[in-house]
């Protein structure tokens, strides 16, 4: 008959609960334990900095061109950002990394629907909602609130802004991107 002390059973219970009963996956080498990398990389603050820096760099490139006015530069930056944002987050489906680790679970979901495993109003989603709003307001401010700029900027802004809200989660309008 084996005698086990209470101290060793406490340690045994700890390791049993931690390694066996938890939802942790074993990480081998440097491979990610995440089945879908879309749920992880956007949460990094470094991604947020890189995202902001890339939009600033795009605007700097537009501003440096001698034949482009300030209004055109802001409109180009805003529209390229918004259309790119729509295509990457709301139109493309599946895993952009081409990994089969998720076993096809994300095949029918857009990138936006995969972020944070579909949880709404996380910090990542808030950042990706607030950033285009600030960019839109900056565009309006630096172009002196011209009505022409509003009419040219508003459609692209709404194209990427409306699909980010919870009432549009997993909805496909007009059968677009349904299959």
């Amino acid at each position: 008959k084996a005698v086990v002390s209470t101290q060793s059973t406490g340690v045994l219970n700890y390791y049993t609960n931690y390694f066996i009963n938890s939802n942790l996956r074993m990480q081998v080498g440097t491979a990610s334990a995440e089945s879908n990398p879309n749920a992880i990389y956007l949460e990094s603050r470094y991604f947020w900095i890189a995202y902001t820096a890339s939009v600033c760099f795009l605007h700097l490139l537009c501003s440096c061109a001698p034949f482009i006015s300030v209004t055109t530069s802001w409109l180009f930056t805003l529209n390229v950002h918004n259309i790119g944002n729509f295509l990457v987050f709301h139109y493309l489906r599946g895993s952009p990394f081409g990994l089969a680790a998720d076993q096809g679970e994300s095949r029918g979901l857009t990138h936006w629907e995969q972020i944070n495993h579909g949880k709404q109003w996380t910090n990542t989603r808030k950042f990706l909602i607030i950033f285009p709003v600030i960019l839109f307001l900056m565009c309006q401010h630096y172009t002196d609130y011209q009505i022409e700029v509003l009419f040219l900027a508003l459609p692209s802004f709404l194209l990427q802004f409306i699909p980010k809200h919870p009432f549009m989660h997993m909805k496909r309008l007009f059968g677009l991107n349904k299959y």
Side-chain angles (χ1 to χ4, degrees):
K1 189 173 182 181
V3 177
V4 179
S5 70
T6 57
Q7 183 179 8
S8 64
T9 56
V11 171
L12 182 64
N13 286 338
Y14 170 77
Y15 285 113
T16 302
N17 287 334
Y18 186 75
F19 290 108
I20 296 174
N21 296 334
S22 69
N23 290 328
L24 297 174
R25 295 183 187 163
M26 182 183 210
Q27 291 189 11
V28 179
T30 59
S32 173
E34 191 63 42
S35 62
N36 185 357
N38 289 346
I40 292 296
Y41 82 97
L42 291 171
E43 295 176 16
S44 168
R45 299 293 185 253
Y46 296 114
F47 171 78
W48 295 11
I49 293 168
Y51 184 82
T52 304
S54 65
V55 173
C56 291
F57 183 70
L58 173 65
H59 182 67
L60 180 67
L61 284 177
C62 294
S63 298
C64 289
F67 54 88
I68 295 181
S69 68
V70 172
T71 302
T72 306
S73 173
W74 275 105
L75 267 174
F76 184 78
T77 302
L78 180 72
N79 287 332
V80 165
H81 170 267
N82 289 343
I83 292 169
N85 191 307
F86 172 76
L87 290 174
V88 170
F89 288 118
H90 306 293
Y91 186 75
L92 298 177
R93 294 183 305 154
S95 178
F97 301 107
L99 300 175
D102 67 346
Q103 300 295 316
E105 292 173 4
S106 64
R107 183 177 56 238
L109 300 175
T110 64
H111 197 155
W112 182 260
E113 293 164 347
Q114 297 173 45
I115 296 172
N116 300 112
H117 303 289
K119 286 188 233 170
Q120 301 296 322
W121 304 116
T122 60
N123 288 337
T124 303
R125 286 179 184 252
K126 288 177 190 176
F127 170 77
L128 292 170
I129 289 172
I130 291 171
F131 188 89
V133 172
I134 292 171
L135 189 62
F136 178 77
L137 293 175
M138 287 174 63
C139 176
Q140 291 302 306
H141 176 74
Y142 288 114
T143 57
D144 296 324
Y145 301 97
Q146 297 173 10
I147 194 74
E148 298 87 10
V149 173
L150 177 66
F151 286 132
L152 292 172
L154 194 61
S156 72
F157 174 73
L158 292 176
L159 179 70
Q160 63 81 31
F161 187 71
I162 292 174
K164 287 181 170 47
H165 288 79
F167 70 88
M168 291 296 295
H169 187 70
M170 301 197 60
K171 301 285 191 295
R172 306 291 185 261
L173 296 179
F174 312 115
L176 187 69
N177 204 14
K178 187 174 183 180
Y179 298 107

